Amino acid sequence: MTIALSKFDEVRLDRVSRDFGALNALREVNLTIKRREFIALLGPSGCGKSTTLNCIAGLLPVTGGAIWLDKHRVDTLKPEERGFGMVFQNYALFPHLNVRQNIGFGLKMRGTPRAEIDRKVNEAIGLVRLQGQENKLPGQLSGGQQQRVAIARAIVIEPPLVLMDEPLSNLDAKLRLEMRAEIRRIHNELGATTIYVTHDQDEALSLADRIVVLKDGIVRQVGTPKELYEAPAHLDVADFMGFRNRLKGKVVSHENGHAVIDVEGARFKGVARDALAPGAAAVVAVRPDDMVASDEGPHALKAVVDTIEYRGREFVGTAHSAQGSDLVFRSDHTVEPGSTVHLTADERVLIFPGQN
Amino acid sequence: MTASVTTTPARDAYGPNLRQRLAARGLDAVTLLAVPAALFSLALFVYPFAFGLVLSFEPKAGGWLSNYQRFFADPFLYETIGKTLWLSLPVTLLNLFLAVPIAFRVRLMRNQRLLTAILVLPITLGTVLVAEGLLNYLGPQGWFNRTLMTFGLISQPLKLVHNYWGVFASLLITGFPFTFLLTLSYVTGIDPALEQAAATLGANAWQRFRHVYLPLLMPGFAITFCLSFVQAFSVFPSAVLLGAPAGPTRVISIAAYQAAFEEYDYSMASAVAMIMGVVQLAIVVAVLASRGLFYRGPASGAKG
Ligand SMILES: Nc1ncnc2c1ncn2[C@@H]1O[C@H](COP(=O)(O)OP(=O)(O)OP(=O)(O)O)[C@@H](O)[C@H]1O
Ligand SMILES: [Mg+2]
């Protein structure tokens, strides 16, 4: 049975687990993906992103739970019966077939008539802008072109679900930005449903409708890019969202969702992400952008500058506090390494409960 | 003393130097490392070959071509070509057909090393030992026949030695490990992601083999075929020990042996060896030439 229906309402992962011996690569992952959604799976290396994708595609059997496409259970089907399009982390283009044959492979396997294959392949080549490259072998293409072949090959079969595993990780910065826009454009043009694996928060934030943050095989948070960026639910999610300054301290006060925390004598005020009792240990998380070198103030944190870099509009420096916490801050004027700066943060400060 | 002072170096000073230009033509230090091997093969292969070639044209009696004339006039001699091919081609093909599915299975196994060791054993034991073992095992009083008789499957012992099938079995057993190990190395050299990609594109197991593995493996299979064939073609010990060396398994190497050591006609023996070489070469060239029809290149789909 092949799932011919490109139309479906949702894909549902129901307590999906995957063990490798004693290692739990995925632990009871629950996730519902709506039609036409662009989902980014974000997490550090080894957190189980590829495993999730392989389980959905059918390349790895799940060891617990089930995967549903509307009312059809799909985790028991072979990959060729699921018919999900997959773009592999290393592209996996067929080296002996030219661009045209690579893209047409899926249609040929389905026994599509020749004329229709030609028409659809031409359409796909136009979509990924590979006109003029049709007769080249993969070995004769640049990395970016290979990647577009891999995308075209996956989408030409009009799969209900497109799975992409870090397709941009090996490209240079400029090509990566271009391809990022291209991927979103193709997703929109096709009305596709996409699960996109990445470990790059920028990519996830700019591409996705919703982001799923994974860590150690556990879903830590699911939300829109805005939700995750502004209100990460856990410290490790915040870490992923660019809160590079994390300082341990003690809660001074907590009211109306805002808390004040004392760090080495300095005071930081921010949004409390959990219940915080005065006197309890807490961690304040601040983005480098919001940690500003200022004039001496009563609540500023004193730190010794280690390095300072010119970034065009501003300077970005690293420093350490008296108790050895590492800090990243910005400044509108240069400061000498070895000198003392006074750091304050007024906006977008988050306060999480900490361990004593 | 010249009056002109040039500050810019001559035009020749730019561009690649001698070493780089030589390297571009494939001549560098690594090439020198191949020199001993080249001399070695010259001394051990090319010289005897040339010597034999010349010798084959200096027959004991008659004109310079009379050895060859004699070979192709005497059915007892020229039929050895057909008999050898009739043994070596089916054996090589069967070995390849057996090796491919087994290699596909073994590629997924964990104890590959153990299996490899078991398979290498027949190679190290040598053809004579295997032949003698088979002589006992397949003989009229051997286990094989006795087992079949015990189960009542046959009433008379099957004649499995001192005929075509005895040699066939022996060639199959001694040739298989070699064919298999070569096939396995080609099969495992193909990126498994290609098969996965084909599966997500809807290809079933047979289609994946037919459209992904087979085209990528054809050049490797061709080489495996040639090497296994050459081994089987020069069959001698098992043809004598297990076969009917005067009848259906009178292979070409027996003809060469008899010319050299029974008739003491080295010139004739050289001529037989030359004919043997030409036949092998013709088959090998034909098979390798067909490789040109297939893709040859890296068998991975990774980005480059
Ligand atoms: N075949 C396997 N056998 C044993 N362990 C495995 C296997 N495949 C993956 N793992 C383990 O499962 C965990 C998750 O791996 P996975 O490949 O999903 O990571 P990932 O999130 O894709 O990482 P990356 O960003 O580096 O690609 C890792 O700890 C990995 O070591
Ligand atoms: Mg991965």
Side-chain angles (χ1 to χ4, degrees), chain B:
Chain B
M1 208 183 128
T2 51
S4 69
V5 179
T6 40
T7 47
T8 49
R11 184 176 282 257
D12 299 349
Y14 294 111
N17 62 24
L18 182 64
R19 186 177 57 75
Q20 287 167 317
R21 284 197 308 256
L22 283 177
R25 287 165 186 270
L27 278 173
D28 54 17
V30 179
T31 320
L32 289 178
L33 293 178
V35 168
L39 290 176
F40 190 73
S41 65
L42 202 69
L44 250 92
F45 178 71
V46 178
Y47 175 73
F49 177 79
F51 184 81
L53 186 65
V54 171
L55 191 64
S56 74
F57 290 119
E58 292 169 353
K60 274 182 166 175
W64 62 287
L65 270 175
S66 59
N67 276 334
Y68 294 91
Q69 280 160 351
R70 192 185 137 205
F71 186 92
F72 287 106
D74 183 355
F76 197 53
L77 288 174
Y78 71 71
E79 275 176 4
T80 57
I81 296 181
K83 284 173 185 168
T84 317
L85 286 176
W86 182 238
L87 261 175
S88 53
L89 282 177
V91 163
T92 310
L93 278 175
L94 183 61
N95 256 338
L96 203 55
F97 276 118
L98 291 176
V100 172
I102 300 179
F104 266 84
R105 184 68 199 82
V106 167
R107 129 195 102 111
L108 309 170
M109 283 178 21
R110 287 209 202 107
N111 298 330
Q112 266 187 37
R113 280 186 180 194
L114 182 71
L115 193 90
T116 310
I118 293 173
L119 281 169
V120 168
L121 221 58
I123 299 184
T124 51
L125 288 179
T127 42
V128 176
L129 203 63
V130 171
E132 289 184 342
L134 277 179
L135 217 46
N136 282 321
Y137 177 68
L138 294 178
Q141 292 302 316
W143 283 20
F144 187 74
N145 270 318
R146 272 195 277 166
T147 311
L148 289 185
M149 293 215 284
T150 310
F151 285 106
L153 292 169
I154 50 172
S155 52
Q156 291 276 318
L158 293 174
K159 188 162 166 45
L160 293 170
V161 290
H162 300 304
N163 64 5
Y164 178 83
W165 295 109
V167 186
F168 191 93
S170 151
L171 278 181
L172 203 64
I173 290 170
T174 48
F176 180 77
F178 182 78
T179 313
F180 171 76
L181 292 177
L182 237 112
T183 308
L184 182 64
S185 77
Y186 281 112
V187 168
T188 48
I190 290 183
D191 185 356
L194 295 181
E195 189 187 9
Q196 300 188 328
T200 62
L201 291 166
N204 60 33
W206 164 247
Q207 288 174 317
R208 300 199 288 269
F209 178 76
R210 168 73 191 77
H211 295 287
V212 178
Y213 276 111
L214 197 59
L216 290 173
L217 284 170
M218 267 330 267
F221 286 168
I223 300 223
T224 311
F225 178 87
C226 288
L227 294 177
S228 306
F229 167 73
V230 167
Q231 276 199 335
F233 193 79
S234 49
V235 50
F236 182 71
S238 58
V240 175
L241 292 167
L242 280 164
T249 73
R250 187 179 145 81
V251 293
I252 194 162
S253 49
I254 294 181
Y257 170 83
Q258 285 178 341
F261 299 108
E262 290 176 10
E263 300 169 20
Y264 298 106
D265 185 347
Y266 290 111
S267 176
M268 182 64 200
S270 298
V272 177
M274 286 303 141
I275 291 164
M276 193 173 160
V278 168
V279 173
Q280 285 186 17
L281 202 66
I283 299 226
V284 167
V285 166
V287 171
L288 290 188
S290 70
R291 273 194 318 166
L293 306 174
F294 300 100
Y295 166 84
R296 262 183 296 169
S300 84
K303 40 196 150 186

Side-chain angles (χ1 to χ4, degrees), chain A residues 47-110:
Chain A
C47 70
K49 305 184 296 292
S50 296
T51 306
T52 311
L53 227 51
N54 287 335
C55 285
I56 297 175
L59 301 173
L60 264 184
V62 302
T63 48
I67 302 170
W68 300 85
L69 193 78
D70 290 343
K71 286 189 195 68
H72 306 280
R73 183 161 174 192
V74 296
D75 62 283
T76 48
L77 300 179
K78 292 185 200 153
E80 62 263 32
E81 295 166 332
R82 300 188 198 189
F84 297 157
M86 178 133 173
V87 180
F88 286 75
Q89 198 160 359
N90 67 359
Y91 306 159
L93 298 180
F94 305 121
H96 59 298
L97 300 182
N98 67 24
V99 169
R100 212 160 224 301
Q101 294 164 325
N102 257 289
I103 298 176
F105 189 88
L107 295 170
K108 191 174 163 193
M109 293 305 112
R110 282 165 170 65

